[in-house]
Amino acid sequence: MTQIYQASCTAPVNIATLKYWGKRDTKLNLPTNSSISVTLSQDDLRTLTTASCSSSFEQDTLYLNGEPHPIDTPRTLACLADLRALRAELESKDDKLPKLSTFKLRIVSENNFPTAAGLASSAAGFAALISAIAKLYELPQNSSELSMIARKGSGSACRSLFGGYVAWEMGELEDGSDSKAVEVAPVDHWPEMQALICVVCDVKKDVSSTSGMQLTVATSDLFQERIKNVVPKRFIEMKKSIIDKDFAKFAELTIKDSNSFHACCLDSYPPIFYMNDTSKKIIKLVNLLNEAAGKIIAAYTFDAGPNAVIYYLKENENKVLGLFNKVFGHLEGWEKAESLKSKFEILEKFPI
Ligand code: DP6
């Protein structure tokens, strides 16, 4: 019997509070700006990946949520090639190591949340894939070094290599060797932080992030202003607000950055709309909530789709959830009568 080597890892979903939108190099997946995210708790939204390899396996195989998937995309192939090269380097230095780099891989990956829910599944997916194979290969690289491989799979995936508050530093070098994720603060730095995920629509988005951001880079003037004059300052301020645990500042910057990103989408030609009417109702509701409180107690952010993530502190949970339940609870009747597209449901409330 030939031996099978195996390792498993989980990686959580991360939600950007300062958005990555735009690539300066599509092959290496290098961004036009640095970004920041909050990684959700491992217990809630995560991908679990098991990687195994053996001299008896005949080809690389991948199963996602029980379905076989071909491993033929340039991004996945680039990740596997990088990981194998690092393993081969170890093997070249130590004769006793089994030659895992030459074996075919079997990868089995499961999400514990509906993939169709429009949540950032590719980020958790690539992060778990890279972590599981790195563990299988016993690679000595740290999370930042591995994040550079995950980045080639999907940009936002590099941030899911860390828990808590994470920055993806865009870097300056042409080979991408300084474009990596780093920890801003661990999760226990700010345990009061909560995230409410509102699934407005679970239909797959019509413009993918990858193509949407390239259209924005090519056509939006507003985007040029964003990357030159807005994001660099915001990146520094947001990191400081996290370190200082200044919720009002963090929330203001998060809201402004979501608005700025969606404004750039609208400024693309032809325009891209990710938010729908229910998303706009959520924005109004958060504004009302903050006005009524006399200070910012909740922040919304929207990725490349209509679903919202609301950040708030535990001390304001009753206010935030109370209002959301009241408003959307009332609307349930007619919301249901409308198509599923405008249905709003609180998927769950997640501690970070
Ligand atoms: C709006 O990481 O999905 O969620 O690198 O092309 O795979 P690719 O794009 P992806 O883009 C995420 C865009 C975003 C913002 C963010 O997560 O920072």
Side-chain angles (χ1 to χ4, degrees):
M1 264 254 310
T2 49
Q3 190 173 351
I4 296 179
Y5 300 85
Q6 184 170 308
S8 296
C9 261
T10 57
V13 164
N14 76 76
I15 307 289
T17 48
L18 200 166
K19 306 295 184 191
Y20 146 54
W21 197 250
K23 300 174 200 288
R24 64 180 200 274
D25 181 320
T26 48
K27 198 156 173 283
L28 294 172
N29 228 6
L30 300 177
T32 48
N33 64 267
S34 296
S35 57
I36 296 179
S37 63
V38 183
T39 301
L40 301 180
S41 155
Q42 284 274 5
D43 307 332
D44 298 315
L45 303 179
R46 58 109 187 104
T47 303
L48 165 66
T49 298
T50 299
S52 43
C53 65
S54 165
S55 60
S56 65
F57 293 174
E58 283 170 6
Q59 56 183 16
D60 290 335
T61 50
L62 171 66
Y63 281 82
L64 294 179
N65 297 314
E67 299 283 326
H69 276 254
I71 305 190
D72 55 4
T73 62
R75 291 171 174 216
T76 310
L77 293 173
C79 292
L80 296 188
D82 279 4
L83 290 160
R84 282 190 164 119
L86 291 173
R87 172 70 193 186
E89 206 179 302
L90 288 184
E91 290 163 1
S92 70
K93 289 181 196 145
D94 183 350
D95 272 354
K96 288 193 278 309
L97 285 179
K99 301 278 180 282
L100 304 191
S101 65
T102 63
F103 297 171
K104 298 295 179 194
L105 285 157
R106 185 178 291 163
I107 301 155
V108 179
S109 201
E110 305 271 341
N111 293 337
N112 68 343
F113 56 93
T115 308
L119 299 162
S121 57
S122 70
F126 272 105
L129 176 87
I130 298 330
S131 305
I133 300 176
K135 192 169 166 190
L136 173 72
Y137 287 171
E138 298 182 325
L139 299 181
Q141 276 71 20
N142 63 28
S143 297
S144 265
E145 288 163 331
L146 293 178
S147 80
M148 290 192 270
I149 302 178
R151 188 200 74 220
K152 293 184 192 170
S154 181
S156 53
C158 75
R159 298 184 310 239
S160 274
L161 265 290
F162 290 89
Y165 303 83
V166 188
W168 172 9
E169 296 173 343
M170 64 180 284
E172 288 171 357
L173 302 174
E174 268 181 33
D175 68 356
S177 58
D178 58 350
S179 185
K180 58 182 190 300
V182 296
E183 182 185 86
V184 175
V187 64
D188 56 8
H189 166 72
W190 208 353
E192 302 84 6
M193 183 72 84
Q194 305 286 304
L196 173 75
I197 304 204
C198 306
V199 176
V200 172
C201 172
D202 60 7
V203 177
K204 212 174 169 301
K205 58 196 170 203
D206 48 349
V207 184
S208 74
S209 305
T210 308
S211 56
M213 65 177 82
Q214 285 319 93
L215 182 67
T216 304
V217 171
T219 61
S220 167
D221 302 325
L222 190 58
F223 168 79
Q224 296 304 328
E225 171 68 12
R226 169 173 164 78
I227 59 166
K228 281 190 200 110
N229 299 325
V230 179
V231 176
K233 188 165 163 257
R234 194 169 282 164
F235 183 65
I236 295 166
E237 287 180 347
M238 192 177 282
K239 279 198 290 187
K240 185 174 184 311
S241 72
I242 293 168
I243 290 159
D244 295 348
K245 296 204 273 182
D246 180 348
F247 185 82
K249 191 72 196 167
F250 170 77
E252 182 196 323
L253 296 169
T254 296
I255 290 173
K256 282 185 171 169
D257 201 69
S258 177
N259 295 349
S260 154
F261 153 50
H262 288 277
C264 288
C265 290
L266 183 62
D267 191 48
S268 305
Y269 189 78
I272 311 165
F273 305 96
Y274 285 122
M275 292 190 288
N276 65 15
D277 286 349
T278 310
S279 317
K280 289 173 199 162
K281 276 183 217 153
I282 294 173
I283 293 181
K284 273 194 186 157
L285 202 61
V286 171
N287 286 340
L288 278 175
L289 193 67
N290 289 336
E291 252 171 53
K295 59 178 181 173
I296 307 182
I297 61 166
Y300 60 79
T301 188
F302 295 82
D303 274 347
N307 300 331
V309 176
I310 313 293
Y311 289 107
Y312 61 91
L313 295 180
K314 205 154 181 57
E315 67 199 41
N316 293 313
E317 180 145 291
N318 288 347
K319 284 185 191 153
V320 177
L321 295 190
L323 188 62
F324 266 77
N325 277 331
K326 204 170 153 197
V327 171
F328 286 100
H330 277 314
L331 295 182
E332 215 175 59
W334 66 261
E335 288 276 10
K336 263 191 193 139
E338 293 216 350
S339 74
L340 187 75
K341 276 190 181 164
S342 63
K343 186 172 165 240
F344 170 87
E345 62 184 25
I346 292 177
L347 180 67
E348 222 175 297
K349 109 187 142 48
F350 297 104
I352 304 289

